[in-house]
Amino acid sequence: MKHRIMIFIILILLLTTGCKANIGKNEIGEDYEDNTVTAAVEKDAIVERSEIISDTIVELFGIDDATTVIFNNSALVGVKTAYDQELTQDTKEIIESKVLNIDSDISEVLITNKERVFTEIDNIVIELLQGKSYDDLVDNISKIKGKFN
């Protein structure tokens, strides 16, 4: 009987010590904590914000499809206009105004109707939805942003 109690106590000790957060010291002696879960939450928040922006833009007259990815404080927006519609400066200003009103963290809105750039932005969003790390895509997003200039 004592043998079973001892095994039970050891089992409980192993389980409780194995479930602690990863808190320790970094190279310069400061405390740190592993924030892997936080990064996933931030990625999900970025995707959600992007989807809200895209959904709002699609509701505008003359816009058939929209895709958005957020990069720092910039929203990179790709749009597909309706048949016989063009992306005019007025439409761009309306889109920019909507985006700035929806998301207060955005200070720059870049808009294009180029099919290739639209597809590249959409592919980034799909990769994020499939679980790819935002950090792995930063270089690609930066290259896409360069295509707006």
Side-chain angles (χ1 to χ4, degrees):
M1 180 73 171
K2 290 182 181 181
H3 190 274
R4 287 185 183 169
I5 293 174
M6 191 63 115
I7 291 174
F8 182 71
I9 291 172
I10 291 172
L11 183 62
I12 290 177
L13 287 173
L14 287 173
L15 289 175
T16 57
T17 58
C19 297
K20 290 185 179 178
N22 186 11
I23 300 175
K25 301 276 184 190
N26 63 12
E27 294 174 1
I28 53 176
E30 296 174 342
D31 289 338
Y32 75 91
E33 182 175 348
D34 185 7
N35 290 327
T36 306
V37 175
T38 305
V41 172
E42 290 172 4
K43 178 195 74 160
D44 291 342
I46 289 171
V47 171
E48 185 177 332
R49 289 169 54 206
S50 297
E51 289 296 319
I52 291 169
I53 291 169
S54 297
D55 291 344
T56 303
I57 293 170
V58 167
E59 294 175 5
L60 296 173
F61 177 77
I63 305 295
D64 278 349
D65 198 5
T67 186
T68 306
V69 68
I70 296 172
F71 183 64
N72 297 329
N73 61 345
S74 301
L76 312 179
V77 180
V79 296
K80 290 184 180 179
T81 55
Y83 181 73
D84 283 344
Q85 295 287 324
E86 291 187 23
L87 184 63
T88 63
Q89 189 60 36
D90 288 341
T91 306
K92 284 183 176 183
E93 289 172 5
I94 291 169
I95 292 170
E96 182 176 0
S97 172
K98 290 273 188 190
V99 171
L100 294 175
N101 286 333
I102 292 168
D103 195 325
S104 60
D105 292 334
I106 301 292
S107 62
E108 177 183 38
V109 182
L110 303 172
I111 306 161
T112 187
N113 63 343
K114 295 177 184 173
E115 183 69 31
R116 184 173 180 166
V117 177
F118 179 96
T119 303
E120 290 175 358
I121 294 170
D122 205 37
N123 288 341
I124 294 287
V125 173
I126 290 169
E127 288 182 279
L128 288 169
L129 290 171
Q130 292 175 341
K132 191 157 187 180
S133 169
Y134 186 83
D135 293 335
D136 293 341
L137 299 170
V138 167
D139 289 339
N140 292 344
I141 298 169
S142 179
K143 288 177 186 175
I144 293 170
K145 184 177 180 182
K147 294 179 181 181
F148 283 87
N149 297 330

